[in-house]
Amino acid sequence: MEKSMGYRGALRRGWTTGSCAAAAAQAAAALLLTGRAPEAIRLQTPAGVVFTLPVEQSALRDGTAVCAVRKDAGDDPDVTNGIRIFAHVQKTMRGVTIEGGAGVGRVTKPGLSVPVGQAAINPGPRAQIEAAVRQAAGQAGYTGGFHIIIAAENGAEVAGQTYNRHLGVMGGISILGTSGVVEPMSEKALTDTIRLELDSVYAQGERTLLLCPGNYGADFAGDALGLDLERAVKCSNFVGEALDHAAFRGFERILLAGHAGKLVKIAAGVMNTHSAAADGRQEIFAAHAALCGAAQDTLEALMQAVSVDAMVEALDAAGLRGPVCARIGAEMEKRLARRLNGRAQIEFVMFTNRYGVLAQSRGAAALCSELRKMR
């Protein structure tokens, strides 16, 4: 059963590179321990969605088992669609170690969720991989450990079509996926689906809307704000179109909760937050920091930062986080109010997982409190 929120449309979901790595590792561990590779792995993702992932190219040689799982991005136009993710698994005395092999990038700049020098395998996929091999060990009655190397077919070439180099991830792709599920991102189909979901929620009698760009926003709204995700609609990068349709449909109040990596772009009037459409996160932080009197070295650090967390770290070093985030929040409030033009009350909460709430509108706390009472 699915426990995370998703679209109520007919677009086909896929599985992330993190889910591929977990399934490949589980299959390789089973091959290593039993001498037989499964034809497919039934994998429950962190989002609660269950996929059956076919296993390819199984081999056992000199104490190393290798299996591959092919990325299927569903109806999402993902550049990694179709590539195979390989897991090379060996026995160890205890514990589980995970490294990156050919085609998996390595982090060279601070500010990402993986430390500098390590393979670009995010914490969520690492947890998925470890849980998967422990499941195989439990089924085989094995109590030792594993050493796992994750590799990606043509990863270095595919990475050239991503933003990895800009983020400081060199030599290959990143193994990603907080939820384990790829949500479909076909623009026309997705915006149509968002409208249908807004219509559905409105038809159920709701007049106060919880709007989240993605899984990070949904998780924060549920875990940190205590809000009911059954009431929420996910708008992906299409913040402006979702707000327009919500106001057209007749929602009276809207709470937008999202990660600063997307929402901070609203301070520059950007309402399609996909990085391919517009970025400007560094420029927004640097501009407001300059207006707060930041020194040249702080502005340089902001422009070189690869994530919002790294930008906040630079602001903390200068003692400017509070005033800069307050300025950005005030500008976001103006931009959102201008977009809705009185058609609905709009509040927002902007956060990062590391630092929590960075900015929120003046009425956000009160609206959150009301929404909690509606659970």
Side-chain angles (χ1 to χ4, degrees):
M1 180 179 293
E2 186 176 328
K3 64 182 179 182
S4 70
M5 70 185 202
Y7 303 110
R8 297 182 175 93
L11 295 175
R12 187 172 66 88
R13 288 168 159 157
W15 45 79
T16 62
T17 49
S19 288
C20 292
Q26 184 173 336
L31 172 59
L32 184 66
L33 298 175
T34 68
R36 297 184 62 185
E39 293 183 0
I41 292 293
R42 188 174 184 272
L43 184 77
Q44 178 162 325
T45 64
V49 179
V50 177
F51 290 121
T52 300
L53 287 73
V55 176
E56 302 182 22
Q57 291 203 229
S58 302
L60 178 60
R61 188 177 302 109
D62 299 329
T64 299
V66 182
C67 290
V69 169
R70 192 177 296 273
K71 169 74 178 287
D72 183 343
D75 287 331
D76 182 62
D78 190 325
V79 297
T80 63
N81 185 54
I83 71 170
R84 288 175 295 186
I85 304 297
F86 290 82
H88 303 246
V89 180
Q90 298 174 326
K91 293 180 182 178
T92 61
M93 292 296 293
R94 63 182 66 84
V96 176
T97 58
I98 302 169
E99 296 182 4
V104 172
R106 196 157 293 274
V107 176
T108 65
K109 291 183 180 181
L112 301 180
S113 59
V114 176
V116 171
Q118 288 194 12
I121 304 173
N122 275 14
R126 286 179 183 271
Q128 267 190 285
I129 293 164
E130 181 169 350
V133 296
R134 290 195 184 282
Q135 181 176 337
Q139 292 170 345
Y142 173 67
T143 59
F146 296 102
H147 177 65
I148 304 164
I149 297 175
I150 302 298
E153 179 181 44
N154 300 323
E157 293 83 355
V158 172
Q161 303 174 56
T162 73
Y163 283 83
N164 271 16
R165 179 175 291 274
H166 173 73
L167 295 173
V169 176
M170 308 302 289
I173 65 168
S174 300
I175 303 299
L176 303 171
T178 304
S179 68
V181 179
V182 177
E183 299 286 5
M185 294 285 288
S186 169
E187 184 166 332
K188 175 63 167 62
L190 184 50
T191 53
D192 287 348
T193 304
I194 293 167
R195 293 187 186 98
L196 286 172
E197 184 154 4
L198 290 167
D199 292 346
S200 174
V201 172
Y202 186 86
Q204 294 170 33
E206 301 288 352
R207 297 298 178 266
T208 299
L209 173 65
L210 172 58
L211 194 65
C212 301
N215 291 323
Y216 285 131
D219 291 345
F220 188 85
D223 298 339
L225 303 180
L227 303 180
D228 182 6
L229 297 188
E230 292 300 317
R231 304 170 59 89
V233 173
K234 188 162 62 175
C235 65
S236 185
N237 294 296
F238 305 103
V239 175
E241 293 198 27
L243 291 175
D244 289 344
H245 190 75
F248 165 78
R249 182 49 56 208
F251 285 98
E252 298 165 3
R253 298 182 298 176
I254 304 167
L255 176 64
L256 175 64
H259 192 278
K262 289 187 180 294
L263 289 201
V264 75
K265 300 176 187 180
I266 292 171
V270 174
M271 297 289 174
N272 179 342
T273 60
H274 197 288
S275 56
D279 195 351
R281 293 166 299 165
Q282 294 97 328
E283 290 83 355
I284 292 166
F285 273 96
H288 286 275
L291 290 168
C292 291
Q296 181 72 23
D297 60 344
T298 299
L299 299 178
E300 291 285 358
L302 290 170
M303 290 301 296
Q304 294 300 317
V306 298
S307 70
V308 171
D309 282 338
M311 296 174 211
V312 174
E313 186 175 345
L315 292 175
D316 280 349
L320 289 174
R321 188 208 302 192
V324 171
C325 288
R327 280 193 61 94
I328 290 172
E331 189 61 32
M332 291 173 63
E333 200 162 356
K334 290 179 189 176
R335 298 281 187 165
L336 289 167
R338 188 181 305 166
R339 180 74 180 224
L340 285 170
N341 196 27
R343 294 176 294 166
Q345 176 189 345
I346 175 67
E347 308 292 347
F348 75 89
V349 178
M350 181 177 75
F351 67 93
T352 75
N353 293 333
R354 179 177 174 184
Y355 290 105
V357 175
L358 295 183
Q360 61 182 2
S361 56
R362 287 167 290 181
L367 186 51
C368 285
S369 179
E370 285 191 47
L371 285 168
R372 281 192 291 271
K373 294 174 183 177
M374 296 178 187
R375 294 193 70 161

